[in-house]
mmCIF file of all heavy atoms in Angstrom:
data_model
loop_
_atom_site.group_PDB
_atom_site.id
_atom_site.type_symbol
_atom_site.label_atom_id
_atom_site.label_comp_id
_atom_site.label_asym_id
_atom_site.label_seq_id
_atom_site.Cartn_x
_atom_site.Cartn_y
_atom_site.Cartn_z
ATOM 1 N N GLU A 116 12.382 3.112 5.564
ATOM 2 C CA GLU A 116 11.636 2.113 4.797
ATOM 3 C C GLU A 116 10.934 1.122 5.728
ATOM 4 O O GLU A 116 9.769 0.745 5.493
ATOM 5 C CB GLU A 116 12.579 1.369 3.853
ATOM 6 C CG GLU A 116 13.046 2.211 2.674
ATOM 7 C CD GLU A 116 14.059 1.470 1.816
ATOM 8 O OE1 GLU A 116 14.621 0.466 2.301
ATOM 9 O OE2 GLU A 116 14.292 1.896 0.673
ATOM 10 N N SER A 160 8.893 6.501 19.124
ATOM 11 C CA SER A 160 9.253 7.899 18.874
ATOM 12 C C SER A 160 9.887 8.048 17.502
ATOM 13 O O SER A 160 9.595 9.004 16.764
ATOM 14 C CB SER A 160 10.218 8.412 19.951
ATOM 15 O OG SER A 160 9.580 8.496 21.203
ATOM 16 N N LEU A 248 41.794 14.053 56.059
ATOM 17 C CA LEU A 248 41.707 12.729 56.675
ATOM 18 C C LEU A 248 41.532 12.814 58.186
ATOM 19 O O LEU A 248 40.956 11.909 58.793
ATOM 20 C CB LEU A 248 42.958 11.908 56.330
ATOM 21 C CG LEU A 248 43.122 11.560 54.843
ATOM 22 C CD1 LEU A 248 44.399 10.775 54.620
ATOM 23 C CD2 LEU A 248 41.914 10.785 54.334
ATOM 24 N N SER A 249 41.996 13.883 58.812
ATOM 25 C CA SER A 249 41.830 14.018 60.265
ATOM 26 C C SER A 249 40.365 14.209 60.633
ATOM 27 O O SER A 249 39.882 13.683 61.641
ATOM 28 C CB SER A 249 42.660 15.190 60.795
ATOM 29 O OG SER A 249 42.270 16.402 60.171
ATOM 30 N N THR A 254 35.940 17.230 49.920
ATOM 31 C CA THR A 254 35.220 18.292 49.210
ATOM 32 C C THR A 254 35.274 17.991 47.723
ATOM 33 O O THR A 254 36.362 17.822 47.153
ATOM 34 C CB THR A 254 35.862 19.665 49.475
ATOM 35 O OG1 THR A 254 35.870 19.915 50.882
ATOM 36 C CG2 THR A 254 35.070 20.762 48.779
ATOM 37 N N LEU A 265 31.536 15.860 51.927
ATOM 38 C CA LEU A 265 31.008 14.535 52.226
ATOM 39 C C LEU A 265 31.896 13.832 53.241
ATOM 40 O O LEU A 265 33.121 14.004 53.232
ATOM 41 C CB LEU A 265 30.948 13.688 50.948
ATOM 42 C CG LEU A 265 30.073 14.234 49.817
ATOM 43 C CD1 LEU A 265 30.342 13.469 48.542
ATOM 44 C CD2 LEU A 265 28.600 14.145 50.199
ATOM 45 N N TRP A 278 47.611 4.637 50.562
ATOM 46 C CA TRP A 278 47.931 5.073 49.197
ATOM 47 C C TRP A 278 48.775 6.344 49.200
ATOM 48 O O TRP A 278 49.792 6.434 48.506
ATOM 49 C CB TRP A 278 46.649 5.279 48.399
ATOM 50 C CG TRP A 278 46.772 6.243 47.247
ATOM 51 C CD1 TRP A 278 46.092 7.416 47.069
ATOM 52 C CD2 TRP A 278 47.637 6.122 46.102
ATOM 53 N NE1 TRP A 278 46.480 8.037 45.904
ATOM 54 C CE2 TRP A 278 47.429 7.269 45.291
ATOM 55 C CE3 TRP A 278 48.588 5.179 45.697
ATOM 56 C CZ2 TRP A 278 48.109 7.481 44.104
ATOM 57 C CZ3 TRP A 278 49.280 5.396 44.513
ATOM 58 C CH2 TRP A 278 49.032 6.530 43.726
ATOM 59 N N LYS A 287 56.047 11.943 39.287
ATOM 60 C CA LYS A 287 57.166 12.416 38.460
ATOM 61 C C LYS A 287 57.404 13.908 38.661
ATOM 62 O O LYS A 287 58.532 14.387 38.556
ATOM 63 C CB LYS A 287 56.865 12.152 36.980
ATOM 64 C CG LYS A 287 56.607 10.690 36.633
ATOM 65 C CD LYS A 287 57.853 9.838 36.789
ATOM 66 C CE LYS A 287 57.673 8.464 36.177
ATOM 67 N NZ LYS A 287 56.595 7.669 36.803
ATOM 68 N N ALA A 307 40.997 5.387 31.996
ATOM 69 C CA ALA A 307 41.909 4.497 32.721
ATOM 70 C C ALA A 307 41.192 3.865 33.921
ATOM 71 O O ALA A 307 41.387 2.674 34.207
ATOM 72 C CB ALA A 307 43.137 5.268 33.184
ATOM 73 N N HIS A 328 29.920 3.973 38.117
ATOM 74 C CA HIS A 328 28.588 4.413 38.532
ATOM 75 C C HIS A 328 27.842 3.315 39.288
ATOM 76 O O HIS A 328 26.935 3.601 40.058
ATOM 77 C CB HIS A 328 27.779 4.880 37.319
ATOM 78 C CG HIS A 328 27.137 6.213 37.530
ATOM 79 N ND1 HIS A 328 27.860 7.357 37.801
ATOM 80 C CD2 HIS A 328 25.828 6.586 37.554
ATOM 81 C CE1 HIS A 328 27.024 8.374 37.950
ATOM 82 N NE2 HIS A 328 25.793 7.936 37.813
ATOM 83 N N HIS A 354 22.304 15.501 43.834
ATOM 84 C CA HIS A 354 21.214 15.631 42.876
ATOM 85 C C HIS A 354 20.498 16.966 43.079
ATOM 86 O O HIS A 354 20.106 17.301 44.198
ATOM 87 C CB HIS A 354 20.195 14.497 43.051
ATOM 88 C CG HIS A 354 20.691 13.180 42.568
ATOM 89 N ND1 HIS A 354 20.142 11.973 42.946
ATOM 90 C CD2 HIS A 354 21.707 12.857 41.712
ATOM 91 C CE1 HIS A 354 20.781 10.981 42.359
ATOM 92 N NE2 HIS A 354 21.729 11.498 41.607
ATOM 93 N N GLN A 369 12.365 -3.113 46.118
ATOM 94 C CA GLN A 369 12.631 -4.468 45.628
ATOM 95 C C GLN A 369 13.306 -5.308 46.702
ATOM 96 O O GLN A 369 12.970 -6.476 46.899
ATOM 97 C CB GLN A 369 13.516 -4.409 44.375
ATOM 98 C CG GLN A 369 12.789 -3.961 43.136
ATOM 99 C CD GLN A 369 13.659 -4.075 41.910
ATOM 100 O OE1 GLN A 369 14.895 -4.095 42.000
ATOM 101 N NE2 GLN A 369 13.049 -4.143 40.745
ATOM 102 N N PRO A 380 5.240 -15.147 57.111
ATOM 103 C CA PRO A 380 4.580 -16.455 56.964
ATOM 104 C C PRO A 380 3.406 -16.451 56.008
ATOM 105 O O PRO A 380 3.047 -17.490 55.459
ATOM 106 C CB PRO A 380 4.114 -16.777 58.392
ATOM 107 C CG PRO A 380 4.077 -15.463 59.095
ATOM 108 C CD PRO A 380 5.171 -14.646 58.487
#
Side-chain angles (χ1 to χ4, degrees):
E116 288 176 343
S160 292
L248 295 179
S249 59
T254 302
L265 300 168
W278 155 241
K287 302 292 192 298
H328 229 60
H354 287 161
Q369 285 187 338

